[in-house]
Amino acid sequence: MVIVDDHEVFRNGLRDYAEVAGMQVVGEASNAVEAVDIVLACEPDVVVMDMEMAGGDGLAGIRALASERPDLPVVVVSGYDEGSRVSDALRAGAAGFVLKTCSAPALLAALGAAARGLTVLDQTARRHFFSVLEAAPTPVASPFPSLSGRERQVLTLLAQGREPSRIARELVLDPHTVHNYLSSVVRKLGVGGREEAAALARSHGLGTGFASRPGDP
């Protein structure tokens, strides 16, 4: 893993816990700018990223890594738990959000889960994240009535240019579940594949903004 945090004490503590647990720390950075170079050089299987750092915005670092290494999970470990921070991190491409108040074993378990391709949110972050989604406005009408609410949500993110792995992270879904939704969308729309589905969605005005949480699964 690579640890990105501007507090040396936190980096040292997490590195010690990780190494005792058998997890290798291959690099450290004190800001998001230097983190990108270190990650590209070290090729870790997971990144720990603080949101608020002197000398570099964590969100910018997440976006940069999502662009350079879209399959690399980045887990935000933050001292702030506002719902907007959680949703901002997931939209930027983070694979999870964990508070610094969590225990070391819980944090290491979250990092291991993220490295296996899962989206991880601790209990507080999950509660705040879904409170933001519940407060988001629901679209008045859909141009694709055959799609379920979740399928429209996945299609909208696809039309915005999101890769399936990133859609899974943003919606806190298993990647296989997202692939199943996409297959259903392609079938229901009668198109030849995901690219055609995305193009059709954009032609009907989808693909702007962040989709709200649907009422049906």
Side-chain angles (χ1 to χ4, degrees), residues 180-202:
N180 289 338
Y181 279 126
L182 289 171
S183 296
S184 178
V185 167
V186 168
R187 184 182 68 256
K188 289 183 178 181
L189 296 184
V191 294
R194 295 173 188 168
E195 292 185 2
E196 289 186 20
L200 181 62
R202 287 192 291 269

mmCIF file of all heavy atoms in Angstrom, residues 180-202:
data_model
loop_
_atom_site.group_PDB
_atom_site.id
_atom_site.type_symbol
_atom_site.label_atom_id
_atom_site.label_comp_id
_atom_site.label_asym_id
_atom_site.label_seq_id
_atom_site.Cartn_x
_atom_site.Cartn_y
_atom_site.Cartn_z
ATOM 1 N N ASN A 180 -24.073 -6.749 -14.203
ATOM 2 C CA ASN A 180 -25.401 -7.323 -14.442
ATOM 3 C C ASN A 180 -26.405 -6.237 -14.823
ATOM 4 O O ASN A 180 -27.238 -6.436 -15.727
ATOM 5 C CB ASN A 180 -25.877 -8.076 -13.205
ATOM 6 C CG ASN A 180 -25.109 -9.359 -12.967
ATOM 7 O OD1 ASN A 180 -24.509 -9.907 -13.887
ATOM 8 N ND2 ASN A 180 -25.105 -9.836 -11.735
ATOM 9 N N TYR A 181 -26.361 -5.093 -14.126
ATOM 10 C CA TYR A 181 -27.244 -3.981 -14.466
ATOM 11 C C TYR A 181 -26.987 -3.494 -15.894
ATOM 12 O O TYR A 181 -27.923 -3.221 -16.659
ATOM 13 C CB TYR A 181 -27.061 -2.823 -13.486
ATOM 14 C CG TYR A 181 -27.801 -2.978 -12.183
ATOM 15 C CD1 TYR A 181 -27.142 -2.875 -10.967
ATOM 16 C CD2 TYR A 181 -29.180 -3.212 -12.157
ATOM 17 C CE1 TYR A 181 -27.816 -3.015 -9.765
ATOM 18 C CE2 TYR A 181 -29.859 -3.353 -10.960
ATOM 19 C CZ TYR A 181 -29.175 -3.250 -9.772
ATOM 20 O OH TYR A 181 -29.850 -3.399 -8.586
ATOM 21 N N LEU A 182 -25.715 -3.388 -16.252
ATOM 22 C CA LEU A 182 -25.382 -2.906 -17.593
ATOM 23 C C LEU A 182 -25.868 -3.872 -18.663
ATOM 24 O O LEU A 182 -26.367 -3.448 -19.714
ATOM 25 C CB LEU A 182 -23.869 -2.697 -17.702
ATOM 26 C CG LEU A 182 -23.307 -1.508 -16.925
ATOM 27 C CD1 LEU A 182 -21.788 -1.533 -16.934
ATOM 28 C CD2 LEU A 182 -23.812 -0.190 -17.499
ATOM 29 N N SER A 183 -25.727 -5.165 -18.412
ATOM 30 C CA SER A 183 -26.226 -6.158 -19.376
ATOM 31 C C SER A 183 -27.736 -6.029 -19.541
ATOM 32 O O SER A 183 -28.263 -6.110 -20.662
ATOM 33 C CB SER A 183 -25.866 -7.566 -18.903
ATOM 34 O OG SER A 183 -24.461 -7.749 -18.871
ATOM 35 N N SER A 184 -28.433 -5.793 -18.432
ATOM 36 C CA SER A 184 -29.885 -5.629 -18.491
ATOM 37 C C SER A 184 -30.265 -4.366 -19.251
ATOM 38 O O SER A 184 -31.212 -4.365 -20.050
ATOM 39 C CB SER A 184 -30.463 -5.578 -17.070
ATOM 40 O OG SER A 184 -31.857 -5.379 -17.098
ATOM 41 N N VAL A 185 -29.509 -3.284 -19.018
ATOM 42 C CA VAL A 185 -29.775 -2.021 -19.717
ATOM 43 C C VAL A 185 -29.603 -2.202 -21.223
ATOM 44 O O VAL A 185 -30.455 -1.776 -22.020
ATOM 45 C CB VAL A 185 -28.838 -0.913 -19.199
ATOM 46 C CG1 VAL A 185 -28.867 0.299 -20.128
ATOM 47 C CG2 VAL A 185 -29.237 -0.500 -17.787
ATOM 48 N N VAL A 186 -28.506 -2.828 -21.627
ATOM 49 C CA VAL A 186 -28.247 -3.049 -23.052
ATOM 50 C C VAL A 186 -29.365 -3.880 -23.681
ATOM 51 O O VAL A 186 -29.846 -3.582 -24.778
ATOM 52 C CB VAL A 186 -26.877 -3.748 -23.243
ATOM 53 C CG1 VAL A 186 -26.718 -4.248 -24.679
ATOM 54 C CG2 VAL A 186 -25.743 -2.796 -22.893
ATOM 55 N N ARG A 187 -29.807 -4.902 -22.960
ATOM 56 C CA ARG A 187 -30.864 -5.765 -23.480
ATOM 57 C C ARG A 187 -32.182 -5.002 -23.612
ATOM 58 O O ARG A 187 -32.864 -5.079 -24.636
ATOM 59 C CB ARG A 187 -31.041 -6.973 -22.564
ATOM 60 C CG ARG A 187 -32.062 -7.994 -23.090
ATOM 61 C CD ARG A 187 -32.247 -9.157 -22.148
ATOM 62 N NE ARG A 187 -32.895 -8.765 -20.911
ATOM 63 C CZ ARG A 187 -32.274 -8.615 -19.747
ATOM 64 N NH1 ARG A 187 -30.970 -8.836 -19.654
ATOM 65 N NH2 ARG A 187 -32.926 -8.259 -18.660
ATOM 66 N N LYS A 188 -32.555 -4.258 -22.576
ATOM 67 C CA LYS A 188 -33.829 -3.539 -22.598
ATOM 68 C C LYS A 188 -33.857 -2.426 -23.632
ATOM 69 O O LYS A 188 -34.910 -2.143 -24.221
ATOM 70 C CB LYS A 188 -34.128 -2.970 -21.204
ATOM 71 C CG LYS A 188 -34.497 -4.018 -20.163
ATOM 72 C CD LYS A 188 -34.842 -3.364 -18.835
ATOM 73 C CE LYS A 188 -35.261 -4.389 -17.790
ATOM 74 N NZ LYS A 188 -35.619 -3.754 -16.497
ATOM 75 N N LEU A 189 -32.721 -1.782 -23.867
ATOM 76 C CA LEU A 189 -32.674 -0.686 -24.840
ATOM 77 C C LEU A 189 -32.527 -1.202 -26.267
ATOM 78 O O LEU A 189 -32.691 -0.439 -27.221
ATOM 79 C CB LEU A 189 -31.522 0.271 -24.513
ATOM 80 C CG LEU A 189 -31.615 1.023 -23.177
ATOM 81 C CD1 LEU A 189 -30.453 1.995 -23.048
ATOM 82 C CD2 LEU A 189 -32.940 1.744 -23.033
ATOM 83 N N GLY A 190 -32.182 -2.480 -26.419
ATOM 84 C CA GLY A 190 -32.045 -3.049 -27.751
ATOM 85 C C GLY A 190 -30.869 -2.503 -28.534
ATOM 86 O O GLY A 190 -30.932 -2.378 -29.758
ATOM 87 N N VAL A 191 -29.777 -2.185 -27.811
ATOM 88 C CA VAL A 191 -28.598 -1.638 -28.476
ATOM 89 C C VAL A 191 -27.507 -2.699 -28.529
ATOM 90 O O VAL A 191 -27.618 -3.779 -27.943
ATOM 91 C CB VAL A 191 -28.085 -0.378 -27.745
ATOM 92 C CG1 VAL A 191 -29.096 0.742 -27.854
ATOM 93 C CG2 VAL A 191 -27.793 -0.677 -26.272
ATOM 94 N N GLY A 192 -26.422 -2.376 -29.241
ATOM 95 C CA GLY A 192 -25.381 -3.358 -29.464
ATOM 96 C C GLY A 192 -24.350 -3.478 -28.367
ATOM 97 O O GLY A 192 -23.526 -4.388 -28.395
ATOM 98 N N GLY A 193 -24.361 -2.568 -27.395
ATOM 99 C CA GLY A 193 -23.373 -2.627 -26.330
ATOM 100 C C GLY A 193 -23.424 -1.388 -25.468
ATOM 101 O O GLY A 193 -24.294 -0.520 -25.621
ATOM 102 N N ARG A 194 -22.467 -1.281 -24.552
ATOM 103 C CA ARG A 194 -22.461 -0.172 -23.593
ATOM 104 C C ARG A 194 -22.249 1.175 -24.263
ATOM 105 O O ARG A 194 -22.845 2.180 -23.866
ATOM 106 C CB ARG A 194 -21.370 -0.409 -22.542
ATOM 107 C CG ARG A 194 -21.609 -1.628 -21.668
ATOM 108 C CD ARG A 194 -20.409 -1.879 -20.785
ATOM 109 N NE ARG A 194 -20.544 -3.146 -20.089
ATOM 110 C CZ ARG A 194 -19.559 -3.732 -19.425
ATOM 111 N NH1 ARG A 194 -18.364 -3.145 -19.367
ATOM 112 N NH2 ARG A 194 -19.754 -4.894 -18.814
ATOM 113 N N GLU A 195 -21.367 1.223 -25.274
ATOM 114 C CA GLU A 195 -21.108 2.500 -25.936
ATOM 115 C C GLU A 195 -22.370 3.030 -26.611
ATOM 116 O O GLU A 195 -22.669 4.233 -26.532
ATOM 117 C CB GLU A 195 -19.979 2.348 -26.943
ATOM 118 C CG GLU A 195 -18.616 2.092 -26.313
ATOM 119 C CD GLU A 195 -17.501 2.056 -27.343
ATOM 120 O OE1 GLU A 195 -17.809 2.274 -28.539
ATOM 121 O OE2 GLU A 195 -16.349 1.823 -26.964
ATOM 122 N N GLU A 196 -23.118 2.144 -27.240
ATOM 123 C CA GLU A 196 -24.366 2.577 -27.879
ATOM 124 C C GLU A 196 -25.386 2.998 -26.833
ATOM 125 O O GLU A 196 -26.146 3.958 -27.041
ATOM 126 C CB GLU A 196 -24.925 1.446 -28.744
ATOM 127 C CG GLU A 196 -24.118 1.169 -29.999
ATOM 128 C CD GLU A 196 -24.786 0.148 -30.894
ATOM 129 O OE1 GLU A 196 -26.008 -0.069 -30.752
ATOM 130 O OE2 GLU A 196 -24.093 -0.445 -31.737
ATOM 131 N N ALA A 197 -25.418 2.277 -25.702
ATOM 132 C CA ALA A 197 -26.343 2.639 -24.629
ATOM 133 C C ALA A 197 -26.015 4.023 -24.080
ATOM 134 O O ALA A 197 -26.909 4.847 -23.846
ATOM 135 C CB ALA A 197 -26.289 1.597 -23.516
ATOM 136 N N ALA A 198 -24.719 4.294 -23.887
ATOM 137 C CA ALA A 198 -24.298 5.599 -23.376
ATOM 138 C C ALA A 198 -24.642 6.705 -24.363
ATOM 139 O O ALA A 198 -25.125 7.781 -23.977
ATOM 140 C CB ALA A 198 -22.801 5.590 -23.086
ATOM 141 N N ALA A 199 -24.403 6.454 -25.658
ATOM 142 C CA ALA A 199 -24.710 7.455 -26.678
ATOM 143 C C ALA A 199 -26.212 7.724 -26.745
ATOM 144 O O ALA A 199 -26.649 8.882 -26.866
ATOM 145 C CB ALA A 199 -24.199 6.989 -28.037
ATOM 146 N N LEU A 200 -27.019 6.668 -26.638
ATOM 147 C CA LEU A 200 -28.470 6.835 -26.668
ATOM 148 C C LEU A 200 -28.939 7.636 -25.453
ATOM 149 O O LEU A 200 -29.808 8.518 -25.572
ATOM 150 C CB LEU A 200 -29.144 5.462 -26.686
ATOM 151 C CG LEU A 200 -30.678 5.455 -26.736
ATOM 152 C CD1 LEU A 200 -31.169 6.124 -28.013
ATOM 153 C CD2 LEU A 200 -31.203 4.027 -26.620
ATOM 154 N N ALA A 201 -28.345 7.345 -24.295
ATOM 155 C CA ALA A 201 -28.718 8.071 -23.078
ATOM 156 C C ALA A 201 -28.396 9.553 -23.209
ATOM 157 O O ALA A 201 -29.212 10.417 -22.861
ATOM 158 C CB ALA A 201 -27.987 7.475 -21.876
ATOM 159 N N ARG A 202 -27.222 9.871 -23.739
ATOM 160 C CA ARG A 202 -26.841 11.279 -23.900
ATOM 161 C C ARG A 202 -27.752 11.987 -24.903
ATOM 162 O O ARG A 202 -28.065 13.173 -24.731
ATOM 163 C CB ARG A 202 -25.372 11.372 -24.340
ATOM 164 C CG ARG A 202 -24.380 11.044 -23.233
ATOM 165 C CD ARG A 202 -22.961 11.430 -23.626
ATOM 166 N NE ARG A 202 -22.460 10.571 -24.699
ATOM 167 C CZ ARG A 202 -21.792 9.439 -24.503
ATOM 168 N NH1 ARG A 202 -21.559 9.017 -23.264
ATOM 169 N NH2 ARG A 202 -21.347 8.727 -25.522
#
